[in-house]
Amino acid sequence: MAAAEEASRPFAGLSDVSISEDIPVEGDISVPVASSRRDEEFSTLDEPVKETILRDLRAVGNKFIHVLYPKRSSALLRDWDLWGPLLLCVTLALLLQGGAADSDDQGGPQFAEVFVIIWFGSIIITLNSKLLGGTISFFQSLCVLGYCIMPLTAAMAVCRIVLIGGSGTVSFAVRLVVVTASFGWSTFASTAFLADSQPPNRKALVVYPVFLFYFVIGWMILTFSPSQ
């Protein structure tokens, strides 16, 4: 007990100590309000559903425009989404239905095959990019690779129209030119968006899987022939 009283004696007078008002107090103790204002500005909880849908559609359309005119930009990386890639994947899978390689009861696996190739291939390319030291996130890479399928999807639509007139030598030549151009377009667009996120000495190792990815999709389009 005595030891405790002796230990508390040096602090006995601290309760009577007061800070003079003349002594300036350093530091900023104001409450930040910028973050709350920013949250209120960008909040979409009170936004009508129609406005939300139109805003998302405009965002998807802007990303399509960026793929049409590929250049080194962070547009697809900054505001990524998977709505566009999903729409392109479904459209391409539907256009590849009804091929001569499909039997009457095997339309489903062809549709699933397109989904597996596109999404599994995109995941593999993304993991390869991350292992090589890329600074891009997982979903950003999926967004870029998915949106850059648009030229190949358009090529598939053109090939279906060309095949209506027959599948002769001229038809094959036209489809070869269209698919080759769209393949180069997709590869160039994707590498233009992903170039700055990769180490300079490893860009070739990242571009090579992208090349194979779009080559496989282009080959599926070129070798497609409608069932009689």
Side-chain angles (χ1 to χ4, degrees), residues 45-97:
L45 295 178
D46 299 329
E47 185 181 39
V49 177
K50 179 181 178 180
E51 293 297 328
T52 303
I53 295 176
L54 291 177
R55 177 170 50 82
D56 291 340
L57 289 177
R58 284 193 296 267
V60 172
N62 289 333
K63 292 182 177 66
F64 283 147
I65 294 176
H66 283 291
V67 175
L68 288 174
Y69 302 99
K71 59 182 180 179
R72 296 202 173 196
S73 172
S74 59
L76 290 183
L77 303 179
R78 184 175 59 252
D79 301 321
W80 61 268
D81 68 81
L82 299 180
W83 291 113
L86 180 61
L87 175 63
L88 292 172
C89 183
V90 171
T91 303
L92 183 59
L94 290 175
L95 290 174
L96 285 170
Q97 295 300 292

Side-chain angles (χ1 to χ4, degrees), residues 26-151:
E26 298 181 357
D28 185 10
I29 60 175
S30 60
V31 178
V33 295
S35 60
S36 61
R37 290 177 180 175
R38 189 179 300 110
D39 293 340
E40 293 177 359
E41 182 180 355
F42 292 99
S43 177
T44 58
L45 295 178
D46 299 329
E47 185 181 39
V49 177
K50 179 181 178 180
E51 293 297 328
T52 303
I53 295 176
L54 291 177
R55 177 170 50 82
D56 291 340
L57 289 177
R58 284 193 296 267
V60 172
N62 289 333
K63 292 182 177 66
F64 283 147
I65 294 176
H66 283 291
V67 175
L68 288 174
Y69 302 99
K71 59 182 180 179
R72 296 202 173 196
S73 172
S74 59
L76 290 183
L77 303 179
R78 184 175 59 252
D79 301 321
W80 61 268
D81 68 81
L82 299 180
W83 291 113
L86 180 61
L87 175 63
L88 292 172
C89 183
V90 171
T91 303
L92 183 59
L94 290 175
L95 290 174
L96 285 170
Q97 295 300 292
D102 300 331
S103 62
D104 295 337
D105 58 345
Q106 289 183 343
Q110 180 68 26
F111 190 91
E113 180 183 353
V114 177
F115 261 80
V116 170
I117 290 177
I118 292 177
W119 292 106
F120 185 73
S122 300
I123 292 173
I124 293 299
I125 294 174
T126 302
L127 293 177
N128 176 70
S129 173
K130 297 295 291 183
L131 292 176
L132 291 175
T135 58
I136 190 174
S137 70
F138 181 81
F139 290 105
Q140 285 176 333
S141 179
L142 289 180
C143 174
V144 170
L145 293 172
Y147 270 101
C148 290
I149 297 176
M150 187 184 68

Side-chain angles (χ1 to χ4, degrees), residues 13-34:
L14 291 179
S15 60
D16 299 330
V17 176
S18 62
I19 300 177
S20 175
E21 296 180 356
D22 298 333
I23 301 176
V25 180
E26 298 181 357
D28 185 10
I29 60 175
S30 60
V31 178
V33 295

